[in-house]
Amino acid sequence: MLGKDLLGIKQLTAEEISGILDLAGEMKKVVLSEDKKLDTLKGLSVVTLFYENSTRTRLSFELASKYMSSSSANITASGSSVQKGESLLDTGHTIDRMGTDVIIMRHQCSGAAAFLAKNVKASVINAGDGMNEHPTQALLDALTIKEHKGGFKGLKAAIIGDVLHSRVARSNLYLLQKMGAEVCLAGPATLMPKDIERFGVKTYNNVDKAVEGADVIINLRIQLERQKSALFPTVREYSSVFGLNERRLALAAPDALVMHPGPVNRGVEMNSAVIDCGQSFIDEQVTNGVSVRMAVLDLLTRGKRNAVN
Ligand code: CP
């Protein structure tokens, strides 16, 4: 059982992460079955509140809650009273007062999910807050790694690209280290947080060195929307110096997993030959997103469901 909210991987123990992954493995059987129906969330309501665009996270939470028989509804900032100037606090109170049990929020500000969680009765799930965390992305990445590598201890994981702006990188870094993997980071110096080495990771500006012998390669999306000024000369140069291609992939372990949270900028972070190769698990990450989100919804609502039953 988890607490009231899921705000980040930073707050979870290795045991809690293992518990979520075990349950997600069970949920995957439901996702891959013909019926896709559980009664787990019957009588509970789940609302997604997205201030930033999303395809994978929002849709997989929506499907997860529907597969579990909740009443679900969705709001985006662009189509809501946020456009009339309503604050996050007032929006949160409004959703809360409709009897909502779980609010799943993506927001452009780091810390927004924690702020909302303090101010509403509903459970809050962080679906990505600014440059801080994206916990369910790291959990679905972890499920993919666990399924293909059997565990995490002793694995070498290379996280490559726009680390500075990436909540996925932070959540994955916390998770992989808690589970016993060795993590290194690579990317342009301008896209590497200044104090990142305090997390006990090696950093490289040379991608070849980072991927050498890696068991897992997680490429990150270049987040041009968060860059206030140009942080690398051209996309073409980025691709040539930092992109994952067949030559670089050949430096990794022969059975290395190639991963990306999506959406991929084809030909920038990775070329199409790598995205579509047999070592690429990007599609499987998407499938695992639904299973992981079902597990999180189940675990976060157990206290409430036990109190009712
Ligand atoms: N990985 C991820 O968060 O993708 P979306 O932005 O499509 O949700």
Side-chain angles (χ1 to χ4, degrees), residues 40-48 61 65-66 68-74 94-104 121-125 297 301 304-305:
T40 321
L41 300 183
K42 207 168 181 175
L44 297 183
S45 55
V46 175
V47 171
T48 64
F61 267 120
S65 56
K66 285 193 165 81
M68 297 170 84
S69 307
S70 78
S71 304
S72 55
N74 312 296
T94 303
I95 297 169
D96 213 28
R97 291 304 291 254
M98 292 184 190
T100 304
D101 297 291
V102 182
I103 302 174
I104 298 155
K121 277 203 213 133
S123 291
V124 173
I125 300 176
L297 284 166
T301 55
K304 185 167 259 186
R305 287 186 279 124

Side-chain angles (χ1 to χ4, degrees), residues 50 53-59 106 127 134 137 140 167-168 221 260-263 293:
F50 274 55
N53 295 338
S54 167
T55 298
R56 291 151 198 78
T57 312
R58 201 181 111 179
L59 183 57
R106 171 170 288 186
H134 190 350
Q137 178 68 47
L140 75 87
R167 52 200 178 205
V168 174
R221 184 173 68 84
H260 190 298
R293 286 160 181 141

Side-chain angles (χ1 to χ4, degrees), residues 100-256:
T100 304
D101 297 291
V102 182
I103 302 174
I104 298 155
M105 186 175 75
R106 171 170 288 186
H107 198 282
Q108 64 277 12
C109 294
S110 302
F115 172 77
L116 182 68
K118 271 196 204 120
N119 287 287
V120 293
K121 277 203 213 133
S123 291
V124 173
I125 300 176
N126 180 6
D129 62 329
M131 303 192 296
N132 181 39
E133 281 225 41
H134 190 350
T136 55
Q137 178 68 47
L139 288 163
L140 75 87
D141 292 344
L143 179 61
T144 310
I145 294 168
K146 186 184 154 195
E147 285 176 342
H148 292 279
K149 295 290 175 191
F152 303 90
K153 283 206 170 33
L155 289 184
K156 177 183 171 184
I159 301 178
I160 296 168
D162 185 355
V163 179
L164 179 65
H165 299 105
S166 179
R167 52 200 178 205
V168 174
R170 277 167 195 72
S171 289
N172 265 310
L173 174 55
Y174 292 134
L175 188 148
L176 290 166
Q177 285 191 331
K178 281 177 198 244
M179 302 307 284
E182 177 199 330
V183 181
C184 72
L185 306 171
T190 48
L191 293 177
M192 197 61 71
K194 294 286 170 272
D195 59 347
I196 197 73
E197 273 157 359
R198 75 189 157 92
F199 288 98
V201 286
K202 281 191 195 134
T203 62
Y204 300 98
N205 294 136
N206 183 331
V207 172
D208 290 16
K209 289 211 172 103
V211 297
E212 211 170 73
D215 302 292
V216 177
I217 303 171
I218 300 175
N219 262 63
L220 303 169
R221 184 173 68 84
I222 287 292
Q223 300 195 33
L224 293 172
E225 74 275 21
R226 295 192 207 281
Q227 296 186 18
K228 294 185 182 71
S229 58
L231 294 174
F232 51 86
T234 63
V235 166
R236 195 168 160 179
E237 189 175 314
Y238 178 89
S239 166
S240 145
V241 179
F242 300 102
L244 190 61
N245 52 31
E246 297 99 311
R247 183 192 67 73
R248 291 201 171 111
L249 179 55
L251 300 172
D255 56 352

